[in-house]
Amino acid sequence: MERDKKEMTEIEEIIEKLVDFRNERDWEQFHDSKNLASAISIEAAELNELFLWKDVKESELVDKEKIKEELADVFAFAFLLAHKNGLDVKQIVLEKIKKNAEKYPVGKSKGTAKKYSEL
Amino acid sequence: MERDKKEMTEIEEIIEKLVDFRNERDWEQFHDSKNLASAISIEAAELNELFLWKDVKESELVDKEKIKEELADVFAFAFLLAHKNGLDVKQIVLEKIKKNAEKYPVGKSKGTAKKYSEL
Amino acid sequence: MERDKKEMTEIEEIIEKLVDFRNERDWEQFHDSKNLASAISIEAAELNELFLWKDVKESELVDKEKIKEELADVFAFAFLLAHKNGLDVKQIVLEKIKKNAEKYPVGKSKGTAKKYSEL
Amino acid sequence: MERDKKEMTEIEEIIEKLVDFRNERDWEQFHDSKNLASAISIEAAELNELFLWKDVKESELVDKEKIKEELADVFAFAFLLAHKNGLDVKQIVLEKIKKNAEKYPVGKSKGTAKKYSEL
Protein backbone atom coordinates (compact mmCIF):
# COMPACT_ATOMS: atom_id res chain seq x y z
CA MET A 1 0.00 0.00 0.00
CA GLU A 2 1.32 3.35 -1.07
CA ARG A 3 -1.12 5.75 0.54
CA ASP A 4 0.20 8.73 2.39
CA LYS A 5 0.16 7.93 6.10
CA LYS A 6 -0.88 11.47 6.88
CA GLU A 7 -4.22 10.97 5.19
CA MET A 8 -4.92 7.67 6.92
CA THR A 9 -6.98 7.33 10.04
CA GLU A 10 -5.62 5.40 13.00
CA ILE A 11 -7.75 2.36 12.19
CA GLU A 12 -6.72 2.40 8.54
CA GLU A 13 -3.13 2.35 9.69
CA ILE A 14 -3.71 -0.66 11.94
CA ILE A 15 -5.54 -2.51 9.18
CA GLU A 16 -2.76 -1.72 6.70
CA LYS A 17 -0.21 -3.32 9.03
CA LEU A 18 -2.41 -6.39 9.52
CA VAL A 19 -2.95 -6.78 5.78
CA ASP A 20 0.75 -6.36 5.07
CA PHE A 21 1.58 -9.03 7.65
CA ARG A 22 -0.99 -11.34 6.09
CA ASN A 23 0.08 -10.72 2.52
CA GLU A 24 3.75 -11.29 3.25
CA ARG A 25 2.74 -14.79 4.41
CA ASP A 26 0.28 -15.37 1.57
CA TRP A 27 -2.48 -16.00 4.10
CA GLU A 28 -5.30 -14.17 2.32
CA GLN A 29 -6.42 -17.56 0.95
CA PHE A 30 -7.33 -18.65 4.50
CA HIS A 31 -8.94 -15.39 5.57
CA ASP A 32 -12.48 -15.80 4.30
CA SER A 33 -15.25 -14.26 6.42
CA LYS A 34 -16.35 -17.56 7.97
CA ASN A 35 -12.88 -18.46 9.21
CA LEU A 36 -12.16 -14.92 10.40
CA ALA A 37 -15.39 -14.95 12.44
CA SER A 38 -14.38 -18.29 13.91
CA ALA A 39 -10.93 -16.90 14.74
CA ILE A 40 -12.51 -13.97 16.64
CA SER A 41 -14.50 -16.47 18.69
CA ILE A 42 -11.48 -18.62 19.47
CA GLU A 43 -9.41 -15.63 20.59
CA ALA A 44 -12.33 -14.34 22.65
CA ALA A 45 -12.42 -17.70 24.43
CA GLU A 46 -8.73 -17.41 25.27
CA LEU A 47 -9.53 -14.04 26.76
CA ASN A 48 -12.38 -15.56 28.80
CA GLU A 49 -10.10 -18.30 30.05
CA LEU A 50 -8.09 -15.64 31.91
CA PHE A 51 -11.15 -14.96 34.07
CA LEU A 52 -12.48 -18.52 34.43
CA TRP A 53 -13.31 -19.64 37.99
CA LYS A 54 -12.42 -16.14 39.25
CA ASP A 55 -14.89 -13.79 40.85
CA VAL A 56 -15.23 -10.21 39.67
CA LYS A 57 -12.67 -8.91 42.16
CA GLU A 58 -10.02 -11.51 41.32
CA SER A 59 -10.73 -10.92 37.64
CA GLU A 60 -9.54 -7.34 37.90
CA LEU A 61 -6.22 -8.66 39.22
CA VAL A 62 -5.51 -10.76 36.13
CA ASP A 63 -2.15 -9.97 34.55
CA LYS A 64 -2.71 -7.03 32.17
CA GLU A 65 -0.04 -8.42 29.85
CA LYS A 66 -2.18 -11.48 29.21
CA ILE A 67 -5.33 -9.44 28.66
CA LYS A 68 -3.33 -7.31 26.24
CA GLU A 69 -2.23 -10.34 24.24
CA GLU A 70 -5.63 -11.97 23.92
CA LEU A 71 -7.53 -8.76 23.34
CA ALA A 72 -5.04 -7.79 20.63
CA ASP A 73 -5.83 -11.07 18.86
CA VAL A 74 -9.56 -10.39 19.05
CA PHE A 75 -9.01 -6.92 17.57
CA ALA A 76 -6.69 -8.22 14.86
CA PHE A 77 -9.24 -10.66 13.45
CA ALA A 78 -12.11 -8.23 13.96
CA PHE A 79 -10.26 -5.55 11.97
CA LEU A 80 -9.45 -8.08 9.23
CA LEU A 81 -13.09 -9.14 9.01
CA ALA A 82 -14.20 -5.50 8.80
CA HIS A 83 -11.64 -4.94 6.04
CA LYS A 84 -12.69 -8.11 4.18
CA ASN A 85 -16.28 -6.85 4.13
CA GLY A 86 -15.50 -3.22 3.36
CA LEU A 87 -16.88 -2.03 6.68
CA ASP A 88 -15.76 1.20 8.35
CA VAL A 89 -15.23 0.34 12.01
CA LYS A 90 -15.93 3.79 13.38
CA GLN A 91 -19.07 4.14 11.33
CA ILE A 92 -20.53 0.75 12.24
CA VAL A 93 -19.89 1.22 15.95
CA LEU A 94 -21.39 4.71 16.00
CA GLU A 95 -24.41 3.47 14.06
CA LYS A 96 -24.84 0.64 16.54
CA ILE A 97 -24.72 3.06 19.45
CA LYS A 98 -27.57 5.02 17.82
CA LYS A 99 -29.59 1.85 17.31
CA ASN A 100 -28.99 0.74 20.88
CA ALA A 101 -30.00 4.16 22.17
CA GLU A 102 -33.45 3.45 20.70
CA LYS A 103 -33.60 -0.10 22.06
CA TYR A 104 -32.38 1.03 25.46
CA PRO A 105 -33.92 4.43 26.25
CA VAL A 106 -32.26 5.95 29.32
CA GLY A 107 -35.54 6.14 31.23
CA LYS A 108 -36.20 2.43 30.98
CA SER A 109 -32.72 0.97 31.04
CA LYS A 110 -30.94 3.08 33.65
CA GLY A 111 -29.28 0.90 36.25
CA THR A 112 -30.64 -2.39 34.95
CA ALA A 113 -28.85 -5.06 32.91
CA LYS A 114 -32.09 -6.42 31.47
CA LYS A 115 -32.24 -7.17 27.77
CA TYR A 116 -34.31 -4.72 25.70
CA SER A 117 -36.86 -7.48 25.09
CA GLU A 118 -37.52 -7.63 28.84
CA LEU A 119 -37.59 -3.92 29.57
CA MET B 1 -15.89 14.26 28.82
CA GLU B 2 -14.63 17.69 27.89
CA ARG B 3 -11.55 16.93 25.83
CA ASP B 4 -11.07 18.74 22.57
CA LYS B 5 -12.11 16.40 19.78
CA LYS B 6 -9.32 17.69 17.61
CA GLU B 7 -6.75 16.15 19.90
CA MET B 8 -8.49 12.80 20.09
CA THR B 9 -7.63 9.86 17.93
CA GLU B 10 -10.38 8.05 16.05
CA ILE B 11 -10.41 5.19 18.57
CA GLU B 12 -10.55 7.57 21.52
CA GLU B 13 -13.58 9.17 19.91
CA ILE B 14 -15.33 5.80 19.51
CA ILE B 15 -14.54 4.84 23.09
CA GLU B 16 -15.80 8.19 24.37
CA LYS B 17 -19.15 7.59 22.68
CA LEU B 18 -19.36 4.07 24.11
CA VAL B 19 -18.52 5.27 27.59
CA ASP B 20 -21.04 8.12 27.37
CA PHE B 21 -23.73 5.67 26.27
CA ARG B 22 -22.85 3.39 29.17
CA ASN B 23 -22.69 6.14 31.76
CA GLU B 24 -26.03 7.64 30.77
CA ARG B 25 -27.52 4.23 31.62
CA ASP B 26 -25.46 3.72 34.76
CA TRP B 27 -24.12 0.46 33.38
CA GLU B 28 -20.52 0.77 34.53
CA GLN B 29 -21.44 -1.40 37.52
CA PHE B 30 -22.02 -4.36 35.16
CA HIS B 31 -18.99 -3.75 32.94
CA ASP B 32 -16.26 -5.54 34.86
CA SER B 33 -13.54 -7.23 32.80
CA LYS B 34 -14.94 -10.74 33.21
CA ASN B 35 -18.41 -9.81 31.98
CA LEU B 36 -17.04 -7.69 29.13
CA ALA B 37 -14.91 -10.61 27.96
CA SER B 38 -17.96 -12.85 28.11
CA ALA B 39 -19.95 -10.29 26.12
CA ILE B 40 -17.31 -10.27 23.36
CA SER B 41 -17.61 -14.05 23.14
CA ILE B 42 -21.39 -13.98 22.96
CA GLU B 43 -21.40 -11.36 20.22
CA ALA B 44 -18.69 -13.26 18.33
CA ALA B 45 -20.97 -16.32 18.42
CA GLU B 46 -23.83 -14.32 16.92
CA LEU B 47 -21.43 -13.35 14.16
CA ASN B 48 -20.48 -17.00 13.63
CA GLU B 49 -24.12 -18.00 13.45
CA LEU B 50 -24.42 -15.98 10.24
CA PHE B 51 -22.00 -18.40 8.58
CA LEU B 52 -23.14 -21.65 10.20
CA TRP B 53 -23.80 -24.56 7.81
CA LYS B 54 -22.61 -22.38 4.91
CA ASP B 55 -19.55 -23.14 2.83
CA VAL B 56 -16.93 -20.49 2.19
CA LYS B 57 -18.58 -19.30 -1.03
CA GLU B 58 -22.05 -18.97 0.49
CA SER B 59 -20.51 -17.25 3.50
CA GLU B 60 -19.33 -14.37 1.36
CA LEU B 61 -22.96 -13.85 0.27
CA VAL B 62 -24.23 -13.30 3.82
CA ASP B 63 -26.10 -10.03 4.21
CA LYS B 64 -23.48 -7.34 4.97
CA GLU B 65 -26.01 -5.51 7.15
CA LYS B 66 -26.06 -8.46 9.53
CA ILE B 67 -22.28 -8.79 9.58
CA LYS B 68 -22.14 -5.06 10.32
CA GLU B 69 -24.48 -5.37 13.28
CA GLU B 70 -22.74 -8.31 14.93
CA LEU B 71 -19.22 -7.12 14.22
CA ALA B 72 -20.10 -3.72 15.67
CA ASP B 73 -21.16 -5.45 18.89
CA VAL B 74 -17.86 -7.34 19.05
CA PHE B 75 -15.96 -4.08 18.58
CA ALA B 76 -18.07 -2.23 21.13
CA PHE B 77 -17.31 -4.65 23.95
CA ALA B 78 -13.70 -5.06 22.86
CA PHE B 79 -13.18 -1.27 22.97
CA LEU B 80 -14.85 -1.12 26.38
CA LEU B 81 -12.61 -3.87 27.72
CA ALA B 82 -9.53 -2.10 26.36
CA HIS B 83 -10.71 1.10 28.02
CA LYS B 84 -11.46 -0.68 31.31
CA ASN B 85 -7.90 -2.00 31.39
CA GLY B 86 -6.20 1.18 30.18
CA LEU B 87 -4.97 -0.47 26.99
CA ASP B 88 -4.19 1.47 23.83
CA VAL B 89 -5.77 -0.52 20.99
CA LYS B 90 -3.38 0.63 18.28
CA GLN B 91 -0.36 -0.07 20.42
CA ILE B 92 -1.44 -3.55 21.53
CA VAL B 93 -2.29 -4.65 17.99
CA LEU B 94 0.97 -3.33 16.54
CA GLU B 95 2.92 -5.02 19.34
CA LYS B 96 1.11 -8.27 18.63
CA ILE B 97 1.98 -8.04 14.94
CA LYS B 98 5.65 -7.71 15.91
CA LYS B 99 5.43 -10.72 18.22
CA ASN B 100 3.66 -12.77 15.58
CA ALA B 101 6.28 -11.81 13.01
CA GLU B 102 8.80 -13.62 15.22
CA LYS B 103 6.55 -16.63 15.77
CA TYR B 104 5.68 -16.81 12.10
CA PRO B 105 8.80 -15.94 10.06
CA VAL B 106 7.87 -15.45 6.40
CA GLY B 107 10.20 -18.21 5.24
CA LYS B 108 8.53 -20.86 7.35
CA SER B 109 4.93 -19.71 7.39
CA LYS B 110 4.36 -18.56 3.80
CA GLY B 111 1.30 -20.20 2.32
CA THR B 112 0.61 -22.49 5.27
CA ALA B 113 -2.03 -22.16 7.99
CA LYS B 114 -0.06 -24.29 10.45
CA LYS B 115 0.26 -23.09 14.00
CA TYR B 116 3.69 -21.79 14.99
CA SER B 117 4.15 -24.76 17.27
CA GLU B 118 3.91 -27.05 14.26
CA LEU B 119 6.07 -25.09 11.84
CA MET C 1 -21.81 -41.99 46.47
CA GLU C 2 -23.07 -45.33 47.60
CA ARG C 3 -25.70 -46.11 45.00
CA ASP C 4 -25.74 -49.52 43.37
CA LYS C 5 -24.10 -49.19 39.94
CA LYS C 6 -26.60 -51.64 38.50
CA GLU C 7 -29.40 -49.17 39.02
CA MET C 8 -27.53 -46.27 37.51
CA THR C 9 -27.86 -45.18 33.93
CA GLU C 10 -24.76 -44.65 31.81
CA ILE C 11 -24.97 -40.87 32.16
CA GLU C 12 -25.44 -41.07 35.93
CA GLU C 13 -22.26 -43.14 36.05
CA ILE C 14 -20.31 -40.55 34.06
CA ILE C 15 -21.62 -37.73 36.22
CA GLU C 16 -20.77 -39.66 39.40
CA LYS C 17 -17.16 -39.95 38.24
CA LEU C 18 -17.00 -36.27 37.36
CA VAL C 19 -18.46 -35.26 40.70
CA ASP C 20 -16.08 -37.57 42.61
CA PHE C 21 -13.13 -36.08 40.73
CA ARG C 22 -14.35 -32.59 41.58
CA ASN C 23 -15.08 -33.34 45.22
CA GLU C 24 -11.70 -34.95 45.83
CA ARG C 25 -10.18 -31.62 44.77
CA ASP C 26 -12.69 -29.49 46.66
CA TRP C 27 -13.61 -27.70 43.43
CA GLU C 28 -17.36 -27.47 43.95
CA GLN C 29 -16.83 -23.93 45.22
CA PHE C 30 -15.71 -22.86 41.71
CA HIS C 31 -18.37 -24.79 39.81
CA ASP C 32 -21.28 -22.36 39.85
CA SER C 33 -23.54 -22.33 36.78
CA LYS C 34 -22.03 -19.18 35.30
CA ASN C 35 -18.47 -20.45 35.41
CA LEU C 36 -19.47 -23.91 34.15
CA ALA C 37 -21.24 -22.33 31.17
CA SER C 38 -18.13 -20.25 30.49
CA ALA C 39 -15.99 -23.39 30.71
CA ILE C 40 -18.15 -25.15 28.09
CA SER C 41 -17.62 -22.21 25.77
CA ILE C 42 -13.88 -22.16 26.29
CA GLU C 43 -13.55 -25.89 25.61
CA ALA C 44 -15.81 -25.58 22.57
CA ALA C 45 -13.44 -22.93 21.23
CA GLU C 46 -10.47 -25.28 21.64
CA LEU C 47 -12.44 -27.80 19.63
CA ASN C 48 -13.10 -25.18 16.95
CA GLU C 49 -9.45 -24.29 16.80
CA LEU C 50 -8.73 -27.79 15.46
CA PHE C 51 -10.73 -26.89 12.35
CA LEU C 52 -9.68 -23.27 11.94
CA TRP C 53 -8.52 -22.26 8.43
CA LYS C 54 -9.31 -25.77 7.20
CA ASP C 55 -11.95 -26.54 4.60
CA VAL C 56 -14.58 -29.20 5.22
CA LYS C 57 -12.50 -31.95 3.62
CA GLU C 58 -9.33 -31.15 5.57
CA SER C 59 -11.42 -30.86 8.73
CA GLU C 60 -12.39 -34.53 8.50
CA LEU C 61 -8.68 -35.37 8.52
CA VAL C 62 -8.01 -33.70 11.87
CA ASP C 63 -6.40 -36.05 14.40
CA LYS C 64 -9.25 -37.92 16.13
CA GLU C 65 -7.22 -37.99 19.35
CA LYS C 66 -7.38 -34.22 19.53
CA ILE C 67 -11.10 -34.13 18.78
CA LYS C 68 -11.57 -36.73 21.50
CA GLU C 69 -9.73 -34.61 24.06
CA GLU C 70 -11.53 -31.37 23.39
CA LEU C 71 -14.95 -32.92 22.96
CA ALA C 72 -14.50 -34.81 26.23
CA ASP C 73 -13.88 -31.47 27.95
CA VAL C 74 -17.05 -30.01 26.46
CA PHE C 75 -19.04 -33.02 27.67
CA ALA C 76 -17.47 -32.94 31.12
CA PHE C 77 -18.53 -29.37 31.84
CA ALA C 78 -21.91 -29.87 30.15
CA PHE C 79 -22.63 -32.90 32.36
CA LEU C 80 -21.55 -30.96 35.44
CA LEU C 81 -23.82 -28.06 34.54
CA ALA C 82 -26.74 -30.46 33.99
CA HIS C 83 -26.01 -32.02 37.38
CA LYS C 84 -25.71 -28.63 39.08
CA ASN C 85 -29.16 -27.69 37.80
CA GLY C 86 -30.80 -31.05 38.42
CA LEU C 87 -31.41 -31.64 34.71
CA ASP C 88 -31.75 -35.11 33.21
CA VAL C 89 -29.65 -35.05 30.03
CA LYS C 90 -31.61 -37.68 28.15
CA GLN C 91 -34.88 -36.03 28.97
CA ILE C 92 -33.84 -32.50 27.99
CA VAL C 93 -32.37 -33.63 24.67
CA LEU C 94 -35.42 -35.72 23.77
CA GLU C 95 -37.70 -32.82 24.71
CA LYS C 96 -35.65 -30.51 22.53
CA ILE C 97 -35.91 -32.89 19.59
CA LYS C 98 -39.70 -32.77 19.95
CA LYS C 99 -39.70 -28.99 20.09
CA ASN C 100 -37.44 -28.76 17.07
CA ALA C 101 -39.65 -31.18 15.16
CA GLU C 102 -42.40 -28.56 15.45
CA LYS C 103 -40.12 -25.67 14.51
CA TYR C 104 -38.67 -27.62 11.61
CA PRO C 105 -41.44 -29.68 9.99
CA VAL C 106 -39.97 -32.17 7.53
CA GLY C 107 -41.94 -30.76 4.61
CA LYS C 108 -40.49 -27.27 5.01
CA SER C 109 -37.01 -27.98 6.28
CA LYS C 110 -35.91 -30.97 4.22
CA GLY C 111 -32.58 -30.35 2.55
CA THR C 112 -32.25 -26.74 3.68
CA ALA C 113 -30.10 -25.28 6.44
CA LYS C 114 -32.32 -22.23 6.86
CA LYS C 115 -33.27 -21.14 10.35
CA TYR C 116 -36.88 -21.80 11.33
CA SER C 117 -37.54 -18.06 11.35
CA GLU C 118 -36.70 -17.96 7.62
CA LEU C 119 -38.55 -21.09 6.50
CA MET D 1 -32.21 -47.93 12.66
CA GLU D 2 -33.52 -51.33 13.61
CA ARG D 3 -31.44 -52.25 16.61
CA ASP D 4 -33.13 -53.67 19.65
CA LYS D 5 -33.54 -50.85 22.15
CA LYS D 6 -32.86 -53.22 25.01
CA GLU D 7 -29.27 -53.65 23.88
CA MET D 8 -28.67 -49.94 23.44
CA THR D 9 -27.09 -47.75 26.04
CA GLU D 10 -28.80 -44.53 27.06
CA ILE D 11 -26.43 -42.42 25.00
CA GLU D 12 -26.86 -44.62 21.95
CA GLU D 13 -30.58 -44.09 22.26
CA ILE D 14 -30.20 -40.31 22.40
CA ILE D 15 -27.87 -40.32 19.42
CA GLU D 16 -30.25 -42.55 17.46
CA LYS D 17 -33.04 -40.03 17.96
CA LEU D 18 -30.80 -37.14 16.94
CA VAL D 19 -29.64 -38.98 13.82
CA ASP D 20 -33.21 -39.92 12.89
CA PHE D 21 -34.31 -36.30 13.27
CA ARG D 22 -31.41 -35.20 11.09
CA ASN D 23 -31.91 -37.84 8.43
CA GLU D 24 -35.63 -37.15 8.08
CA ARG D 25 -34.62 -33.59 7.13
CA ASP D 26 -31.70 -34.63 4.95
CA TRP D 27 -29.35 -32.51 7.04
CA GLU D 28 -26.39 -34.86 7.13
CA GLN D 29 -24.91 -32.87 4.25
CA PHE D 30 -24.51 -29.85 6.58
CA HIS D 31 -23.26 -31.78 9.60
CA ASP D 32 -19.55 -32.00 8.92
CA SER D 33 -17.24 -31.87 11.93
CA LYS D 34 -16.24 -28.24 11.43
CA ASN D 35 -19.81 -26.97 11.34
CA LEU D 36 -20.89 -29.18 14.25
CA ALA D 37 -18.04 -27.81 16.35
CA SER D 38 -19.09 -24.29 15.43
CA ALA D 39 -22.70 -25.11 16.35
CA ILE D 40 -21.60 -26.29 19.82
CA SER D 41 -19.83 -22.97 20.32
CA ILE D 42 -22.83 -20.94 19.20
CA GLU D 43 -25.20 -22.81 21.50
CA ALA D 44 -22.72 -22.52 24.36
CA ALA D 45 -22.75 -18.75 23.84
CA GLU D 46 -26.55 -18.68 24.08
CA LEU D 47 -26.17 -20.51 27.36
CA ASN D 48 -23.61 -17.96 28.55
CA GLU D 49 -25.90 -15.11 27.61
CA LEU D 50 -28.32 -16.28 30.31
CA PHE D 51 -25.69 -15.43 32.92
CA LEU D 52 -24.24 -12.28 31.37
CA TRP D 53 -23.94 -9.25 33.68
CA LYS D 54 -25.20 -11.41 36.57
CA ASP D 55 -23.16 -12.24 39.61
CA VAL D 56 -22.81 -15.83 40.82
CA LYS D 57 -25.80 -15.57 43.14
CA GLU D 58 -28.14 -14.09 40.54
CA SER D 59 -26.89 -16.67 38.06
CA GLU D 60 -28.28 -19.48 40.15
CA LEU D 61 -31.70 -17.82 39.91
CA VAL D 62 -31.80 -17.95 36.12
CA ASP D 63 -34.91 -19.69 34.75
CA LYS D 64 -34.11 -23.43 34.65
CA GLU D 65 -36.32 -23.77 31.57
CA LYS D 66 -33.94 -21.54 29.64
CA ILE D 67 -30.85 -23.36 30.88
CA LYS D 68 -32.54 -26.61 29.87
CA GLU D 69 -33.15 -25.37 26.34
CA GLU D 70 -29.67 -24.06 25.67
CA LEU D 71 -27.87 -26.91 27.39
CA ALA D 72 -29.94 -29.40 25.39
CA ASP D 73 -28.71 -27.72 22.20
CA VAL D 74 -25.09 -27.98 23.35
CA PHE D 75 -25.56 -31.67 24.09
CA ALA D 76 -27.36 -32.33 20.80
CA PHE D 77 -24.50 -31.02 18.67
CA ALA D 78 -21.87 -32.56 20.95
CA PHE D 79 -23.52 -35.99 20.62
CA LEU D 80 -23.74 -35.57 16.85
CA LEU D 81 -20.06 -34.65 16.64
CA ALA D 82 -19.12 -37.67 18.77
CA HIS D 83 -21.23 -39.86 16.47
CA LYS D 84 -19.73 -38.32 13.33
CA ASN D 85 -16.25 -39.18 14.60
CA GLY D 86 -17.09 -42.62 15.95
CA LEU D 87 -16.32 -41.58 19.53
CA ASP D 88 -17.86 -43.31 22.56
CA VAL D 89 -18.91 -40.48 24.89
CA LYS D 90 -18.63 -42.46 28.11
CA GLN D 91 -15.21 -43.76 27.18
CA ILE D 92 -13.75 -40.41 26.17
CA VAL D 93 -15.01 -38.66 29.29
CA LEU D 94 -13.71 -41.40 31.61
CA GLU D 95 -10.35 -41.36 29.82
CA LYS D 96 -10.20 -37.59 30.22
CA ILE D 97 -10.90 -37.89 33.94
CA LYS D 98 -7.94 -40.27 34.25
CA LYS D 99 -5.70 -37.90 32.31
CA ASN D 100 -6.80 -34.96 34.43
CA ALA D 101 -6.20 -36.94 37.60
CA GLU D 102 -2.52 -37.04 36.58
CA LYS D 103 -2.41 -33.36 35.63
CA TYR D 104 -4.21 -32.36 38.80
CA PRO D 105 -3.02 -34.59 41.66
CA VAL D 106 -5.23 -34.11 44.71
CA GLY D 107 -2.33 -32.99 46.89
CA LYS D 108 -1.44 -30.08 44.64
CA SER D 109 -4.79 -29.05 43.27
CA LYS D 110 -7.08 -29.31 46.28
CA GLY D 111 -9.02 -26.12 46.82
CA THR D 112 -7.30 -24.15 44.08
CA ALA D 113 -8.58 -23.25 40.61
CA LYS D 114 -5.08 -22.82 39.23
CA LYS D 115 -4.29 -24.35 35.84
CA TYR D 116 -2.06 -27.44 35.96
CA SER D 117 0.73 -25.44 34.30
CA GLU D 118 0.76 -23.09 37.29
CA LEU D 119 0.54 -25.66 40.08
Side-chain angles (χ1 to χ4, degrees):
Chain A
M1 294 191 196
E2 304 281 330
R3 246 175 98 197
D4 186 347
K5 293 259 155 99
K6 281 172 200 156
E7 297 167 25
M8 292 175 79
T9 70
E10 195 184 10
I11 291 176
E12 284 172 335
E13 264 188 72
I14 299 172
I15 290 177
E16 187 189 58
K17 298 262 198 240
L18 288 165
V19 168
D20 285 350
F21 178 89
R22 183 195 73 189
N23 288 349
E24 282 162 24
R25 282 154 190 81
D26 197 15
W27 283 354
E28 192 175 358
Q29 56 184 315
F30 307 116
H31 284 198
D32 53 274
S33 296
K34 180 166 176 158
N35 274 302
L36 286 171
S38 184
I40 295 171
S41 231
I42 291 164
E43 300 301 341
E46 293 182 11
L47 186 60
N48 277 280
E49 202 186 352
L50 301 176
F51 306 112
L52 185 61
W53 315 126
K54 295 189 170 64
D55 63 27
V56 165
K57 233 177 171 177
E58 292 165 328
S59 291
E60 299 307 335
L61 302 175
V62 164
D63 183 357
K64 292 272 181 265
E65 281 304 305
K66 289 184 184 169
I67 298 177
K68 215 176 79 174
E69 297 269 337
E70 304 306 346
L71 188 53
D73 285 334
V74 169
F75 271 115
F77 289 119
F79 281 129
L80 283 166
L81 182 57
H83 175 71
K84 170 90 189 167
N85 287 276
L87 301 171
D88 179 305
V89 173
K90 185 178 171 186
Q91 192 191 323
I92 67 172
V93 178
L94 297 194
E95 273 180 36
K96 197 64 196 253
I97 292 174
K98 261 193 200 163
K99 260 197 153 170
N100 281 342
E102 285 166 37
K103 277 160 88 175
Y104 296 95
V106 172
K108 279 191 176 181
S109 58
K110 195 161 186 172
T112 172
K114 278 190 190 158
K115 226 184 154 169
Y116 66 95
S117 47
E118 296 165 8
L119 282 178
Chain B
M1 291 188 197
E2 305 281 329
R3 249 176 95 197
D4 185 347
K5 292 258 155 101
K6 280 176 201 155
E7 294 168 26
M8 293 175 78
T9 70
E10 192 184 13
I11 291 175
E12 284 172 336
E13 263 187 72
I14 299 172
I15 290 176
E16 188 191 56
K17 298 262 196 239
L18 288 165
V19 169
D20 286 349
F21 178 89
R22 183 195 72 190
N23 288 349
E24 282 162 24
R25 282 155 189 80
D26 197 15
W27 284 354
E28 191 173 1
Q29 57 184 314
F30 306 117
H31 284 197
D32 54 273
S33 296
K34 181 167 177 156
N35 274 303
L36 286 172
S38 185
I40 295 172
S41 231
I42 290 164
E43 299 300 343
E46 293 182 10
L47 187 60
N48 276 280
E49 202 186 350
L50 302 177
F51 306 113
L52 185 61
W53 315 127
K54 295 189 171 64
D55 63 27
V56 166
K57 236 177 169 174
E58 292 165 327
S59 291
E60 298 308 335
L61 302 176
V62 164
D63 184 358
K64 293 273 181 265
E65 281 304 304
K66 290 183 184 169
I67 298 178
K68 217 175 79 172
E69 296 271 335
E70 304 306 346
L71 188 53
D73 285 334
V74 169
F75 271 114
F77 290 118
F79 281 128
L80 284 166
L81 182 57
H83 175 71
K84 171 90 188 166
N85 286 278
L87 301 171
D88 178 305
V89 174
K90 185 179 172 185
Q91 192 190 323
I92 67 173
V93 177
L94 298 194
E95 272 180 39
K96 196 63 195 256
I97 292 174
K98 260 193 199 160
K99 260 198 154 169
N100 281 342
E102 283 166 38
K103 277 160 90 175
Y104 295 96
V106 173
K108 278 190 176 181
S109 59
K110 194 161 186 171
T112 172
K114 279 188 189 159
K115 226 183 154 169
Y116 67 95
S117 48
E118 296 166 7
L119 282 177
Chain C
M1 295 192 194
E2 303 280 330
R3 248 176 96 195
D4 186 346
K5 292 257 155 103
K6 280 174 201 155
E7 296 167 26
M8 292 176 78
T9 70
E10 193 185 12
I11 290 175
E12 284 172 337
E13 265 189 70
I14 299 172
I15 290 177
E16 187 190 58
K17 298 262 197 240
L18 288 165
V19 168
D20 285 351
F21 178 89
R22 183 196 72 189
N23 288 349
E24 282 163 24
R25 282 156 191 80
D26 198 14
W27 284 354
E28 192 174 359
Q29 57 185 312
F30 307 117
H31 284 198
D32 54 90
S33 296
K34 181 168 176 156
N35 274 302
L36 286 172
S38 185
I40 295 173
S41 231
I42 290 165
E43 299 301 342
E46 293 182 11
L47 187 60
N48 277 281
E49 201 186 351
L50 301 176
F51 306 112
L52 186 61
W53 315 126
K54 294 188 170 64
D55 63 29
V56 166
K57 234 176 169 177
E58 293 165 328
S59 291
E60 298 308 335
L61 303 175
V62 163
D63 184 358
K64 293 274 181 264
E65 281 305 305
K66 289 184 186 168
I67 298 178
K68 215 175 80 174
E69 298 271 334
E70 303 307 345
L71 188 53
D73 286 334
V74 169
F75 272 114
F77 290 119
F79 282 129
L80 285 166
L81 182 58
H83 175 72
K84 171 91 190 167
N85 287 277
L87 301 172
D88 178 304
V89 174
K90 186 179 170 185
Q91 193 191 322
I92 66 172
V93 177
L94 297 195
E95 273 180 36
K96 196 64 196 254
I97 292 174
K98 261 192 202 162
K99 259 199 157 170
N100 280 341
E102 285 166 37
K103 276 161 89 176
Y104 296 96
V106 173
K108 278 192 178 180
S109 58
K110 195 160 186 172
T112 171
K114 279 186 189 160
K115 226 183 156 170
Y116 67 93
S117 48
E118 295 166 10
L119 282 177
Chain D
M1 294 189 194
E2 305 281 329
R3 248 177 95 197
D4 184 349
K5 294 255 154 107
K6 282 175 198 154
E7 295 167 26
M8 292 176 78
T9 70
E10 194 185 12
I11 290 175
E12 283 171 337
E13 264 187 71
I14 300 172
I15 290 177
E16 189 191 55
K17 297 263 198 239
L18 288 165
V19 169
D20 286 350
F21 178 88
R22 183 196 71 190
N23 289 349
E24 282 162 23
R25 283 154 189 80
D26 197 15
W27 284 354
E28 191 174 359
Q29 57 185 314
F30 307 117
H31 284 198
D32 55 273
S33 296
K34 181 166 175 157
N35 274 302
L36 286 171
S38 185
I40 295 172
S41 232
I42 290 165
E43 300 300 342
E46 293 182 11
L47 187 60
N48 276 281
E49 202 185 352
L50 301 176
F51 307 113
L52 186 62
W53 314 127
K54 295 188 169 64
D55 64 28
V56 165
K57 236 179 169 173
E58 293 165 325
S59 291
E60 298 307 336
L61 302 176
V62 164
D63 184 358
K64 292 275 182 262
E65 282 303 304
K66 289 184 185 169
I67 298 179
K68 217 175 78 174
E69 297 270 334
E70 304 306 345
L71 189 53
D73 286 334
V74 169
F75 271 115
F77 289 119
F79 281 129
L80 285 166
L81 183 57
H83 175 72
K84 170 91 189 169
N85 287 277
L87 301 171
D88 178 305
V89 173
K90 185 178 173 187
Q91 193 191 321
I92 68 173
V93 177
L94 297 194
E95 273 180 38
K96 197 63 197 255
I97 292 174
K98 261 193 199 161
K99 260 198 154 169
N100 281 342
E102 285 167 37
K103 277 159 88 175
Y104 295 96
V106 172
K108 279 191 176 180
S109 57
K110 196 162 186 172
T112 171
K114 277 187 190 159
K115 225 183 154 169
Y116 67 95
S117 48
E118 294 165 10
L119 283 175

